[in-house]
């Protein structure tokens, strides 16, 4: 496994992390025992960068991650987030909420200090300086090592950095979601902020395993995502088929191509593919061995232009790049 320091920090993170959200909810049935095995296999393969949030499974995910990594705490970099209120009650970036949320996360994770603490969404009703100021206090108190933002705009990142260094921006970034390439990516580079792409496999779509949205459970999050709506889905499926074609020519999986493409974007990119399954985890780790030619990258880039549909519902879109 290749490891690099995350942004301005001394956190030496594997360039492929593990997104733990689906171990609690969003993508169909879950199984704690299987998830714990997957978390251990990750560490055994040199993957040390784990992503959770207080809101995933209403606390279940942090408890699960904390339990799995308890005996091997010193080997793991644990990133968690606050800002989404429980039971879909909106968001909060208020200073007092940051402090109580952090205490609750520490307790659920069973640790003394969070390695990387993100604000999950910039709260439009609270100046980002205030949210980040409270997070900086948490650093001073020794409860948090480094601070990150999720789905923040270039402007918010610049304002936040004036209060405290920002180590990482977590944002959706993949072959089919490219918003950050406009301005945010460059701002991160100017400010030495690492990019942590979430949903790097297009919520499973770019793996080629999702050929029909009827496979989704009623409470599967993807049912609400425009990219997966019938007409868009049909068009997008053609793109995945072409991706599978390129993967076939290279002798790898489409999922590995999607991750290799992200890794090619720069040494400051640390994708966190999500899976509860050991098999997928191992496949994803092996994507670091795949090298893409300039021609393959431009083929993939031209495919991306054919993608149809927004990446979130209307209400979800209002909170991104904020
Ligand atoms: N900051 C934010 O707002 C935000 C938002 C969303 C996610 N995240 C974080 O980012 C992480 C990753 O994103 P994500 O989970 O939404 O999407 P993703 O990584 O793009 O895709 C996850 C889906 O892909 C499937 N999968 C993974 N590896 C596979 C493989 N090799 N072959 C076939 N299928 C594979 C998983 O299946 P199984 O479920 O069957 O394992 C799951 O359904 C999350 O776990 C979470 O920690 C953050």
């Amino acid at each position: 496994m290749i490891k690099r320091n995350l942004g301005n920090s001394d956190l030496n993170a594997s360039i492929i992390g593990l997104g733990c959200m689906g171990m609690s909810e969003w993508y169909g049935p879950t199984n704690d025992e299987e998830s714990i095995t997957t978390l251990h296999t990750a560490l055994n393969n040199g993957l040390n960068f784990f992503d959770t949030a207080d809101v995933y499974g209403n606390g279940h995910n942090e408890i699960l991650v904390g339990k799995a990594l308890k005996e091997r705490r010193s080997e793991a970099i644990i990133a968690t987030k606050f800002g989404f209120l429980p039971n879909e009650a909106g968001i909060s970036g208020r200073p007092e909420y940051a402090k109580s949320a952090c205490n609750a996360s520490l307790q659920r994770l069973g640790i003394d200090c969070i390695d990387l603490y993100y604000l999950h969404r910039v709260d439009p009703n609270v100046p980002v300086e205030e949210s980040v100021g409270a997070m900086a206090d948490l650093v001073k108190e020794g409860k948090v090592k480094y601070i990150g933002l999720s789905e923040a705009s270039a402007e918010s990142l610049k304002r936040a950095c004036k209060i405290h260094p920002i180590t990482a921006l977590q944002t959706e970034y993949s072959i089919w979601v490219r918003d950050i390439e406009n301005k945010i990516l460059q701002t991160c580079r100017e400010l030495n902020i690492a990019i942590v792409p979430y949903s790097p496999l297009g919520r499973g779509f770019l793996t080629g395993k999702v050929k029909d949205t009827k496979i989704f459970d009623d409470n599967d999050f993807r049912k609400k995502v425009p990219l997966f709506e019938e007409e868009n889905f049909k068009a997008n499926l053609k793109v995945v088929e072409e991706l599978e074609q390129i993967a076939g020519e290279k002798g790898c999986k489409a999922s590995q191509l999607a991750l290799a493409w992200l890794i090619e974007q720069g040494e400051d990119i640390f994708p966190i593919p999500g899976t509860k399954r050991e098999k997928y985890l191992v496949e994803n780790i092996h994507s670091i061995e795949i090298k893409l030619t300039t021609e393959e990258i431009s083929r993939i880039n031209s495919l991306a232009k054919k993608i149809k549909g927004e990446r979130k519902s209307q209400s979800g879109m209002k909170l991104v790049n904020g």
Side-chain angles (χ1 to χ4, degrees), residues 18-22 26-27 51-52 56 81 84 120-121 150-151 170-171 197-205 207 209 222 255 272-277 279-281 283-284 312:
L18 176 59
C20 301
M21 180 179 81
W26 290 56
Y27 304 132
D51 190 76
T52 178
Y56 300 162
K81 324 179 191 75
F84 278 111
H120 216 147
R121 291 289 183 275
S150 172
E151 289 287 3
Q170 183 170 134
T171 196
Y198 77 73
S199 304
L201 299 170
R203 303 187 185 271
F205 185 69
T207 70
K209 291 256 160 62
R222 291 169 286 196
S255 50
I272 48 165
T275 186
K276 45 208 177 223
R277 297 171 213 283
K279 176 175 177 281
Y280 290 170
L281 166 88
E283 265 176 33
N284 296 344
K312 290 192 193 287

Side-chain angles (χ1 to χ4, degrees), residues 210-217 222-223 228-230 233:
V210 182
K211 298 281 194 227
D212 189 337
T213 54
K214 290 197 189 74
I215 63 166
F216 299 154
D217 282 3
R222 291 169 286 196
K223 289 207 149 179
F228 290 93
E229 277 166 14
E230 203 175 333
F233 185 78

